[in-house]
């Protein structure tokens, strides 16, 4: 494994007989080391060869999503380890899925009907109770004297009104000639206000509206959603008003139920409704149990099926990238693979030929490629995060020096220069150790976006914390408290009273402090100038490093380029001609074009301009490296503020409560501001220093990543 | 403050402008349409769309698809985007966004009222309504018998109420006066929107007044062509034209007296901006006029994206997306009915 250069790639061609194509591609997918090139890029998806299979897979995954949806809605917990099941092929699976779907839809339809009538009955029950309540309460208060029906019922006392209206309602005979009737029903609570207003307008106020919220949430028979509903009773007079009100009810989706005026009749109906409700309940329960059983049995295999369908779809998508050869008996595929994987791919292809009993083997050979190969770095869990940091800026050109190698050390170091505090470093270290210790557990489960990020960069955090401890020891910072770890200070007061320590200063009386900054500097008048000069020297150092490169760029490079060109030109005259003819518009900026018209003076001038640019850039970058000092200063000042102005201040009081508050504030400020925010900002600046100041000096980063066809990297569209 | 929008626009509008420009980049391109036009079945269309931003909306549809499902799902996407933008918007952008939907509201009102007049089921009608033009009490429109009731019962609560002032009559509803009502409402709506955009000032006013003027002129031409041979008098016809736009006022005088399509053409060809539209058409033809107008409109809408810091992009985006949905509907209809030769008749490429 070479960290600095990307893997050597070869362009290969596969000629696969049709009968073993599917197996070969799926084996390659399991191996995951071959990137297929789309040979049908000019064709739209539905003009390709295996479009029907892709469609079928899409249809199957739709069914699987439907099952999953149903299972989650039913609240069934799936077993984590599904029962092993004999392998089935796609056709069988398709039939099975269709059966299951059909069954499920039928069951849903049946239970839907039942549920609808159940919720209707439930509503009826509620209406009966509530509306009956209105009628009864009115009746019991009926006063003997009759009242004329007032046109404007709203001007009257509501209660008396209701009584009189109902009284008239109940009584047959001449007083009912006004044709006073009522409609009762149930409606969503959210619509009730508008409903009432609409009724009022439509009847010009000639109505009385009573409402009572139902106790529990009920299912709307239409939309099968749980909503809060309200029972209403509208009293009105006249046939025309009735049709209007009915239409409004319809328009608002209110369900109307007839409530008999007679109390005995009411009771009778209530009884009926209740008995039917309990009947329906048992039927529904049975149906639900049956359905849950069916869903559980589906859920047993769901995960396996989903993975299988996803793999099949990926295989067909890949097959769609292949071309038929002239005889239509073979599929031709082209792609990139790393050189080391050649024997593995050979093996896999042979196995595919054997397993599919094909007479003809699969031909696998290396070809010349005109385009530049993809970049492939093999990473492990440690280098992966650093490689990601570099790739976020740009993927390295093929075989270009990989900055990730340096980044492994420089990135945490630059971070630590800004974050130097061994107290905070230890906190970070603990976090990183927790993440790493639980690597196996965390790696297998889904994490939140922030945790995911922290987990992905756990080794970065580990190194960052170690370097922070190191830099913290150099700065001698521990939550801005000075410590004498490496022996005593080298300075002492001039006399025993130490009166003039802050005016005249101290005297050095023995060897310098062995490691880092002497703790006596802390709190002294010249602390800042001393530390600043220490931290700023860092950036000057980096400038010097950069300047070293200038003469190298200016003089030897053009000569070396010239030499290289001459050598190459002599050796490859014929070859060059052949390839350039084959690919006249290959790559505009590839080295080949430049080489063909190599002009020394031009290269020299170019190099000179480049050097000047470089020097200018280096100077301005040096200024940029000053952020190391600035952030480190900010960090130490902030922690001083929290330590001195919060913790020490609170400790000054002889009150346990104030001390406690001080401690809490200090702890939170340390955790959130110093540990989280400062970590993020130092991380950000370290990123910038790498991307802009470091990588811009040598890194092209215009390559493209190697994306092999691999089942392991299929997108997980579970959620 | 004209010319200084760049200073302050991004405080409130920056995020949404970015969002809408992002949405715009997901509009189907000419190559998408070329591929779609080659589809053999609706499943092919679904498959092609699944690679676009419509994918998540269509992926859970069972396989025998219908044109209506495709259109419904695509509209749903637009509505979701619109709702998201509306939720994020602050004044005056939120009002501006609401203005965009009023046109659909008018269409929905007319749809329901005409439907009930012909005794259609309200639920069925509601399904046909454009989801952007829905308002709370839309279903109760079916209750009303005449304009006055329509207004008093339902529309007084909606933003359309002020536009109604000109068409409150106690006449019973019939097809003719419903159509007149639609156009009167539309006229009032366009004028109000125009005024609102003028009030916003800056680049918004500049771009939106152009777009709205085009819209008003387009409507004027359509009204004229549709009213030829009906009992609508000249004065009534003229009353339906919006009082702004390139054609106002002299073009309106001429349009009001037109009696066939060629006269409309003669009236419009005096305006250089509209010459190009008619240049594509042969004499006496009004079938392709719609498409020609749509093409011109799409061109103008696309131009709205060339400037930054104005609200016109929202209007333009919504319109372009609607045009795209119309295109998809047409393509799917042609595919479903095996009329692929006519597929190019009404598809307006956006890019």
């Amino acid at each position: 494994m070479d960290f600095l250069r990307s893997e050597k790639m070869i362009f290969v061609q596969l000629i696969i007989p049709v009968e073993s194509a599917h197996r070969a591609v799926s084996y390659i997918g399991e191996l995951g080391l071959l990137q297929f090139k789309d040979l049908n890029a000019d064709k739209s998806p539905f003009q390709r060869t295996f479009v029907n299979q892709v469609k079928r897979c899409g249809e199957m995954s739709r069914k699987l999503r439907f099952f999953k949806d149903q299972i989650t809605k039913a609240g069934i917990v799936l077993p984590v380890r599904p029962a092993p099941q004999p392998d089935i092929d796609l056709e069988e699976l398709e039939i099975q899925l269709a059966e299951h779907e059909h069954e499920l839809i039928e069951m849903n339809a049946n239970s839907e009907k039942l549920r609808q009538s159940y919720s209707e009955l439930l509503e009826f029950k509620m209406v009966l109770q509530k509306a009956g309540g209105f009628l009864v309460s009115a009746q019991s208060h009926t006063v003997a004297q009759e009242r004329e029906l007032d046109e404007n019922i709203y001007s009257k006392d509501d209660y008396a009104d209701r009584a009189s209206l109902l009284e008239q309602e109940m009584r047959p005979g001449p007083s009912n000639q006004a044709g006073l009737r009522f409609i009762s029903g149930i409606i969503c609570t959210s619509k009730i206000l508008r409903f009432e207003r609409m009724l009022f307008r439509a009847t010009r106020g000639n109505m009385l509206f009573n409402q009572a919220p139902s106790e529990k949430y009920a299912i709307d028979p239409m939309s099968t959603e749980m909503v809060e509903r309200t029972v209403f009773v509208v009293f009105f007079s006249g046939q025309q008003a009735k049709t209007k009100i009915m239409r409004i009810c319809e328009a608002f989706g209110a369900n109307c139920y007839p409530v008999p005026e007679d109390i005995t009749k009411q009771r009778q109906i209530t009884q009926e409704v209740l008995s039917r409700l309990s009947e329906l309940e048992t039927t529904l329960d049975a149906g639900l149990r049956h359905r849950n059983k069916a869903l559980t049995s589906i859920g047993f295999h769901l995960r396996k099926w989903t993975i299988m369908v996803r793999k099949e779809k990926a295989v067909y998508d890949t097959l769609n990238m292949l071309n038929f050869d002239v005889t239509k008996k073979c599929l031709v595929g082209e792609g990139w693979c790393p050189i080391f994987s050649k024997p593995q791919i050979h093996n896999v292809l042979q196995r595919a030929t054997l397993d599919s009993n094909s007479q003809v083997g699969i031909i696998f050979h290396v070809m010349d490629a005109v385009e530049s190969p993809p970049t492939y770095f093999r990473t492990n869990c440690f280098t992966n995060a650093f490689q990601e940091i570099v790739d976020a800026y740009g993927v390295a050109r093929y075989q270009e020096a990989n900055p990730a190698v340096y980044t492994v050390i420089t990135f945490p170091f630059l971070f630590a220069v800004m974050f130097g505090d061994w107290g905070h470093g230890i906190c970070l270290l603990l976090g990183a150790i927790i993440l790493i210790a639980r690597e196996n557990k965390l790696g297998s489960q889904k994490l939140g976006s922030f945790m995911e990020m922290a987990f992905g960069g756990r080794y970065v955090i580990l190194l960052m914390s170690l370097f922070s401890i190191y830099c913290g020891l150099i700065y001698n910072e521990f939550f801005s408290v000075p410590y004498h770890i490496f022996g005593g200070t080298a300075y002492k007061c001039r006399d025993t009273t130490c009166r003039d320590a802050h005016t005249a200063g101290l005297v050095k009386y023995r060897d310098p402090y062995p490691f880092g900054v002497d703790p006596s500097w802390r709190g002294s008048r010249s602390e800042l100038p001393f530390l600043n000069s220490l931290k700023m020297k860092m950036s000057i150092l980096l400038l010097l490093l950069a300047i070293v490169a200038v003469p190298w760029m200016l003089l030897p490079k053009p000569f070396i380029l010239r030499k290289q060109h001459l050598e190459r030109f002599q050796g490859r005259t014929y070859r060059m001609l052949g390839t350039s003819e084959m690919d006249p518009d290959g790559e505009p900026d590839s080295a080949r074009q430049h080489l063909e018209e190599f002009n020394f003076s031009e290269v020299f001038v170019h190099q000179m301009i480049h050097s000047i640019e470089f020097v200018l850039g280096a100077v301005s970058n040096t200024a940029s490296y000053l952020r190391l000092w600035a952030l480190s200063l900010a960090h130490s000042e902030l922690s001083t503020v929290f330590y001195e102005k919060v913790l020490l201040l609170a400790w000054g009081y002889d009150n346990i409560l104030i001390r406690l508050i001080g401690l809490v504030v200090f702890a939170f400020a340390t955790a959130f501001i110093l540990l989280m925010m400062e970590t993020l900002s130092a991380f950000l600046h370290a990123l910038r220093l790498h991307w802009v100041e470091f990588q811009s000096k040598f890194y092209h980063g215009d390559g493209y990543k190697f994306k092999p066809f691999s089942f392991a990297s299929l997108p997980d569209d579970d959620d | 403050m004209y010319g200084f929008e760049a200073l302050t626009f991004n405080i409130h509008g920056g995020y949404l402008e970015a969002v809408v420009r992002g949405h715009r980049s997901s509009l189907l391109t000419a190559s998408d349409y070329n591929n779609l036009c080659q589809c053999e079945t609706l499943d092919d269309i679904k498959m092609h769309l699944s690679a676009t931003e419509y994918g998540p909306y269509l992926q859970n549809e069972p396989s025998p698809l219908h044109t209506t499902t495709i259109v419904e799902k695509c509209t749903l996407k637009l509505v979701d985007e619109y709702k998201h933008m509306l939720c994020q918007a602050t004044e005056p952008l939120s009002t501006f966004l609401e203005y965009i939907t009023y046109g659909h509201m008018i269409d929905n009102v007319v749809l329901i009222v005409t439907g009930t007049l012909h005794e259609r089921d309200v639920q069925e009608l509601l399904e046909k309504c454009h989801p952007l033009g829905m308002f709370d009490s839309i279903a109760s429109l079916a209750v009303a018998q005449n304009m006055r009731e329509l207004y008093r019962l339902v529309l007084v609560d909606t933003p359309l109420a002020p536009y109604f002032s000109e068409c409150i009559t106690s006449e019973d509803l019939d097809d003719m006066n419903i159509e007149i009502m639609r156009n009167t409402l539309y006229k009032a709506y366009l004028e109000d929107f125009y005024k609102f955009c003028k009030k916003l000032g800056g680049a918004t006013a500049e771009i939106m007044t152009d777009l709205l003027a085009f819209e008003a002129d387009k409507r004027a031409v359509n009204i004229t062509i549709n009213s030829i041979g009906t009992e609508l008098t000249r004065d009534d016809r003229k009353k339906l034209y919006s009082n702004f736009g390139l054609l106002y006022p002299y073009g309106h005088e001429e349009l009001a007296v037109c009696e066939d399509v060629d006269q409309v053409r003669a009236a419009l060809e005096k305006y250089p901006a509209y010459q190009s539209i008619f240049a594509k058409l042969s004499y006496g033809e009004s079938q392709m006029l719609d498409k020609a107008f749509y093409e011109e409109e799409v061109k103008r809408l696309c131009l709205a994206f060339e400037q930054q810091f104005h609200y016109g992009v929202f209007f333009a985006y919504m319109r372009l997306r609607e045009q795209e949905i119309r295109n998809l509907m047409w393509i799917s209809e042609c595919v479903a009915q095996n009329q692929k030769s006519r597929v190019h008749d009404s598809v307006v490429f956006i890019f």
Side-chain angles (χ1 to χ4, degrees):
Chain A
M1 197 148 48
D2 189 0
F3 286 114
L4 193 61
R5 304 283 168 184
S6 67
E7 293 293 332
K8 283 213 162 57
M9 308 298 279
I10 42 172
F11 191 67
V12 293
Q13 192 181 38
L14 296 165
I15 302 174
I16 317 173
V18 174
E19 63 268 21
S20 54
H22 182 271
R23 207 177 289 262
V25 169
S26 62
Y27 284 179
I28 288 173
E30 256 148 44
L31 184 67
L33 280 171
L34 183 65
Q35 174 178 357
F36 282 96
K37 190 180 152 195
D38 193 353
L39 299 175
N40 301 323
D42 51 333
K43 285 188 188 163
S44 58
F46 48 87
Q47 286 170 331
R48 302 189 176 204
T49 325
F50 296 94
V51 59
N52 282 325
Q53 280 86 338
V54 174
K55 264 191 217 165
R56 269 167 54 196
C57 291
E59 184 67 17
M60 273 190 269
S61 53
R62 183 192 64 76
K63 279 174 189 154
L64 289 168
R65 275 198 301 275
F66 170 69
F67 294 148
K68 193 171 163 65
D69 187 48
Q70 292 287 318
I71 286 171
T72 5
K73 264 190 192 160
I76 297 170
V77 184
L78 293 180
V80 185
R81 287 261 161 263
Q85 190 208 12
D87 282 328
I88 50 170
D89 63 8
L90 205 63
E91 276 72 28
E92 276 175 59
L93 180 62
E94 193 172 13
I95 297 165
Q96 273 196 26
L97 288 183
E99 273 171 18
H100 283 308
E101 193 198 18
H102 185 70
E103 193 188 1
L104 207 59
I105 287 177
E106 204 167 313
M107 273 193 280
N108 280 353
N110 286 341
S111 65
E112 200 51 49
K113 256 185 242 162
L114 283 176
R115 191 175 316 237
Q116 194 174 333
S117 48
Y118 177 76
S119 43
E120 268 174 19
L121 276 175
L122 207 66
E123 283 190 349
F124 193 13
K125 190 186 99 183
M126 279 191 266
V127 172
L128 273 174
Q129 283 168 351
K130 297 283 173 191
F134 289 137
L135 301 173
V136 172
S137 73
Q139 210 168 36
S140 60
H141 283 84
T142 307
V143 268
Q145 69 266 43
E146 274 193 28
R147 281 202 210 180
E148 277 299 304
L149 184 65
D150 202 316
E151 278 293 313
N152 191 358
I153 44 182
Y154 270 72
S155 65
K156 291 225 160 195
D157 174 25
D158 200 29
Y159 178 68
D161 249 340
R162 203 188 297 162
S164 75
L165 284 170
L166 279 168
E167 188 194 339
Q168 295 186 3
E169 173 86 30
M170 296 303 153
R171 203 190 340 255
S175 65
N176 210 0
Q177 266 169 358
L180 200 67
R181 308 145 200 241
F182 66 91
I183 288 177
S184 51
I186 195 160
I187 190 173
C188 281
T189 307
S190 55
K191 290 187 190 165
I192 194 93
L193 259 175
R194 270 181 284 123
F195 182 58
E196 187 177 353
R197 189 160 59 210
M198 181 64 64
L199 286 175
F200 186 80
R201 275 195 208 133
T203 55
R204 295 169 190 272
N206 293 326
M207 60 109 205
L208 178 62
F209 190 81
N210 270 318
Q211 50 166 309
S214 63
E215 285 95 2
K216 49 187 172 188
Y217 283 69
I219 301 169
D220 185 351
M222 290 300 151
S223 63
T224 68
E225 269 172 48
M226 295 294 266
V227 280
E228 209 176 334
R229 296 168 77 74
T230 300
V231 175
F232 63 85
V233 182
V234 200
F235 299 96
F236 58 89
S237 71
Q239 183 61 37
Q240 240 195 337
K242 182 177 176 184
T243 49
K244 258 188 197 165
I245 290 174
M246 292 301 276
R247 281 179 112 164
I248 291 173
C249 287
E250 199 189 332
F252 274 85
N255 303 318
C256 298
Y257 298 95
V259 178
E261 296 148 29
D262 192 16
I263 291 187
T264 49
K265 232 184 192 169
Q266 248 181 53
R267 287 212 182 108
Q268 201 183 327
I269 290 180
T270 315
Q271 279 303 319
E272 263 173 46
V273 167
L274 283 178
S275 69
R276 279 196 56 199
L277 264 179
S278 64
E279 253 170 54
L280 267 177
E281 220 161 299
T282 46
T283 333
L284 266 176
D285 271 354
L288 199 69
R289 267 201 302 278
H290 182 58
R291 185 163 167 267
N292 281 355
K293 229 164 88 186
L295 280 178
T296 323
S297 75
I298 294 173
F300 243 43
H301 310 299
L302 191 67
R303 185 149 176 76
K304 194 184 157 110
W305 287 346
T306 318
I307 293 172
M308 183 175 161
V309 169
R310 200 182 299 150
K311 280 186 181 175
E312 286 293 325
K313 186 160 182 293
V315 167
Y316 283 118
D317 276 338
T318 311
L319 282 174
N320 271 335
M321 291 185 185
L322 309 187
N323 246 339
F324 270 108
D325 75 337
V326 265
T327 57
K328 291 268 175 195
K329 279 181 189 147
C330 291
L331 284 164
V332 181
E334 290 172 5
W336 291 102
C337 69
I339 279 185
F340 72 83
S341 72
K342 228 176 116 184
Q344 280 166 288
I345 294 176
H346 249 302
N347 268 341
V348 153
L349 292 177
Q350 257 165 14
R351 202 150 51 86
T353 318
L354 279 179
D355 287 355
S356 51
N357 292 324
S358 170
Q359 302 292 319
V360 196
I362 299 168
I363 301 169
F364 173 69
H365 62 96
V366 182
M367 297 211 309
D368 274 337
V370 276
E371 60 205 297
S372 77
T375 310
Y376 176 42
F377 292 108
R378 278 193 282 177
T379 55
N380 50 34
C381 60
F382 181 75
T383 54
N384 190 36
F386 295 100
Q387 189 67 52
E388 292 287 318
I389 288 176
V390 172
D391 284 352
Y393 171 80
V395 177
R397 194 182 271 188
Y398 178 59
Q399 294 267 300
E400 186 180 6
N402 182 10
V405 181
Y406 309 103
T407 308
V408 172
I409 297 302
T410 51
F411 185 84
F413 178 62
L414 288 187
F415 172 87
V417 169
M418 292 178 269
F419 197 71
D421 185 318
W422 58 279
H424 296 149
I426 285 170
C427 296
L428 264 191
L429 182 65
L430 289 179
I433 285 174
I434 289 172
L435 282 177
I436 291 169
R438 301 172 67 193
E439 195 171 70
N440 288 331
K441 194 165 158 262
L442 289 172
S444 56
Q445 68 195 50
K446 283 250 175 274
L447 306 163
S449 65
F450 188 78
M451 263 311 272
E452 182 109 40
M453 209 168 68
F455 180 68
R458 59 197 181 279
Y459 288 105
V460 183
I461 299 178
L462 177 76
L463 279 192
M464 290 190 322
S465 60
L466 289 177
F467 276 95
S468 300
I469 294 171
Y470 170 71
C471 282
L473 288 173
I474 291 182
Y475 297 162
N476 204 345
E477 295 239 15
F478 177 85
F479 298 108
S480 88
V481 189
Y483 267 82
H484 299 78
I485 309 171
F486 303 103
T489 167
Y491 302 93
K492 66 173 183 186
C493 301
R494 285 165 191 272
D495 50 24
T496 44
T497 52
C498 248
R499 267 178 294 111
D500 53 354
H502 284 278
T503 47
L506 306 170
V507 285
K508 191 172 171 201
Y509 76 108
R510 59 176 182 182
D511 288 343
Y513 192 69
F515 185 83
V517 177
D518 194 305
S520 295
W521 284 105
R522 164 77 48 196
S524 68
R525 238 181 346 150
S526 50
E527 179 196 2
L528 264 187
F530 178 74
L531 285 177
N532 285 352
S533 101
L534 173 80
K535 290 171 181 176
M536 276 191 204
K537 271 164 194 153
M538 180 80 190
S539 38
I540 305 298
L541 215 79
L542 286 164
L543 171 76
L544 285 177
L545 268 179
I547 297 288
V548 172
V550 174
W552 178 250
M553 270 175 83
L554 193 62
L555 281 176
K557 197 180 167 189
F559 286 107
I560 289 172
L561 277 178
R562 180 158 173 261
K563 199 172 147 230
Q564 274 180 354
H565 165 73
L566 288 175
E567 275 169 11
R568 230 181 277 181
F569 195 68
Q570 273 169 357
R572 291 177 54 182
T573 329
Y574 299 110
R575 182 85 174 281
M576 293 289 305
L577 202 64
T579 42
S580 62
E581 218 166 76
M582 261 160 60
D583 176 45
D585 52 355
E587 255 193 318
D589 59 346
S590 79
R592 199 180 299 142
Q593 253 91 352
H594 293 297
L595 283 171
E596 271 164 40
E597 48 207 85
F598 190 86
N599 187 338
F600 183 72
S601 62
E602 204 170 275
V603 170
F604 197 79
V605 170
H606 181 78
Q607 235 13 71
M608 239 164 74
I609 295 172
H610 207 66
S611 308
I612 293 169
E613 262 178 15
F614 186 84
V615 171
L616 287 180
V619 171
S620 82
N621 286 350
T622 308
S624 211
Y625 276 112
L626 281 179
R627 70 185 66 223
L628 289 173
W629 154 71
L631 279 209
S632 132
L633 177 70
H635 184 83
S636 70
E637 288 301 306
L638 258 180
S639 62
T640 311
V641 165
F642 286 127
Y643 175 67
E644 278 175 8
K645 303 292 172 201
V646 178
L647 198 62
L648 289 189
L649 190 80
W651 233 247
Y653 292 91
D654 201 12
N655 186 337
I656 184 86
L657 193 71
I658 294 178
R659 283 182 173 190
L660 213 63
I661 290 172
L663 195 65
V664 168
V665 171
F666 175 72
F668 270 88
T670 304
F672 287 103
I673 299 180
L674 291 178
L675 281 178
M676 283 184 62
M677 270 174 54
E678 281 279 290
T679 307
L680 283 179
S681 88
F683 187 91
L684 192 84
H685 284 281
L687 260 190
R688 187 215 138 99
L689 286 176
H690 267 86
W691 283 348
V692 182
E693 274 77 27
F694 178 55
Q695 294 183 359
S696 68
K697 294 221 170 63
F698 63 91
Y699 187 53
H700 292 286
D702 54 357
Y704 64 104
K705 228 178 178 167
F706 177 56
K707 285 200 200 85
F709 168 58
S710 148
F711 289 146
S713 63
L714 283 184
D716 194 16
D717 51 14
D718 262 5
D719 25 35
Chain B
M1 246 204 317
Y2 181 65
F4 288 91
E5 293 99 349
L7 271 182
T8 54
F9 184 87
N10 278 347
I11 298 170
H12 292 294
Y15 169 64
L16 280 178
E17 189 179 357
V19 166
V20 83
R21 280 176 191 274
H23 286 325
R24 171 198 175 262
S25 62
S26 76
L27 286 169
L28 300 182
T29 56
S31 70
D32 283 320
Y33 283 117
N34 281 334
N35 281 333
L36 283 171
C37 291
Q38 290 166 17
C39 289
E40 295 293 337
T41 61
L42 289 184
D43 276 337
D44 287 346
I45 292 185
K46 174 185 164 186
M47 190 163 165
H48 187 86
L49 288 181
S50 66
T52 66
E53 289 208 351
Y54 291 116
Y57 288 84
L58 284 168
Q59 67 170 0
N60 282 336
E61 290 310 309
S63 207
L65 274 173
H66 296 288
T67 316
T68 41
T69 336
I70 294 181
V71 173
E72 196 180 303
K73 293 293 161 186
C74 295
T75 316
L76 185 67
K77 176 178 182 293
L78 174 65
V79 173
D80 282 352
E81 285 167 359
Y82 172 80
K83 279 187 181 150
H84 174 247
M85 290 194 285
L86 188 64
C87 286
Q88 302 285 337
T90 49
E91 284 296 338
L93 179 54
S94 51
T95 314
F96 182 88
L97 285 175
E98 276 163 10
Y99 263 108
I100 296 176
T101 62
Y102 293 169
H104 293 295
M105 252 184 222
I106 296 172
D107 287 340
N108 284 352
V109 168
V110 171
L111 181 76
I112 300 254
V113 173
T114 336
T116 35
L117 204 67
H118 296 258
E119 319 240 306
R120 302 278 280 284
D121 182 40
V122 182
Q123 285 306 322
E124 196 185 304
L125 289 171
L126 281 179
E127 277 164 23
K128 281 189 192 157
C129 285
H130 197 287
L132 278 183
M134 289 302 225
F135 47 92
D136 292 334
S137 44
I138 189 162
S140 31
L141 283 170
V143 183
Q145 298 295 325
N146 57 33
M147 301 275 186
R148 192 177 294 279
E149 267 187 29
L150 205 61
Y151 174 71
R152 203 175 54 82
L153 281 181
V154 188
L155 294 177
V156 69
D157 284 340
T158 68
L160 299 184
Y163 309 149
F164 236 83
S165 55
E166 279 196 35
C167 50
I168 297 179
T169 55
S170 301
E171 265 179 83
D172 272 0
L173 294 167
D174 60 42
D175 280 341
M176 182 76 173
N177 59 27
I178 288 177
E179 204 49 43
I180 291 175
M181 174 185 90
R182 182 215 293 270
N183 285 310
T184 326
L185 284 180
Y186 227 101
K187 171 192 172 178
Y189 155 61
L190 281 180
E191 280 168 7
D192 189 30
F193 198 6
Y194 187 82
K195 235 187 296 170
F196 175 74
C197 291
K198 278 230 147 154
K199 206 177 75 195
L200 286 178
T204 306
E206 186 194 0
I207 285 161
M208 282 308 294
T209 47
D210 274 359
L211 289 175
L212 288 174
F214 181 75
E215 175 81 19
D217 291 344
K218 190 178 97 182
R219 289 198 74 83
V221 172
N222 277 335
I223 289 168
T224 316
I225 290 176
N226 290 334
S227 65
I228 289 171
T230 60
E231 58 214 60
L232 200 71
T233 62
R234 285 175 183 179
D235 284 346
D236 283 346
R237 192 195 278 179
K238 207 173 151 232
K239 259 191 228 155
L240 297 178
Y241 300 153
S242 306
N243 288 333
F244 64 96
L246 213 57
L247 300 179
Y248 175 77
Y250 303 111
H252 287 177
E253 307 274 353
E254 285 187 57
L255 279 181
V257 297
C258 285
E259 250 142 41
D260 58 44
V261 181
D262 283 340
Q263 284 179 16
V264 176
R265 186 187 181 126
L268 280 181
E269 274 183 340
K270 290 173 191 156
Y271 295 87
Y274 299 125
Q275 262 170 8
S276 60
I277 292 176
F278 283 91
K280 294 179 200 153
L281 306 175
S282 53
Y283 277 90
E285 188 178 23
S286 62
Q287 292 290 316
M288 297 297 283
L289 188 62
D290 265 347
K291 192 188 173 190
F293 264 116
Y294 276 137
E295 273 171 357
E296 178 69 20
E297 186 183 357
V298 163
K299 213 164 76 190
R300 285 163 185 246
L301 291 172
C302 285
L303 283 179
F305 282 93
E306 301 296 314
Q307 267 199 58
Q308 225 187 326
F309 308 125
H310 66 96
Y311 293 156
V313 284
F314 297 95
F315 179 81
Y317 171 70
M318 298 297 286
R319 282 295 166 96
L320 286 176
R321 199 50 113 176
E322 280 162 24
Q323 180 62 45
E324 181 175 295
I325 291 168
R326 271 197 297 273
N327 287 344
L328 284 177
M329 178 157 74
W330 178 261
I331 294 173
S332 343
E333 276 300 345
C334 286
V335 169
Q337 297 177 11
N338 256 331
Q339 297 275 323
K340 278 181 66 183
S341 52
R342 297 192 56 203
V343 94
H344 285 282
D345 283 5
S346 158
V347 173
V348 180
F349 288 179
I350 295 178
F351 297 116

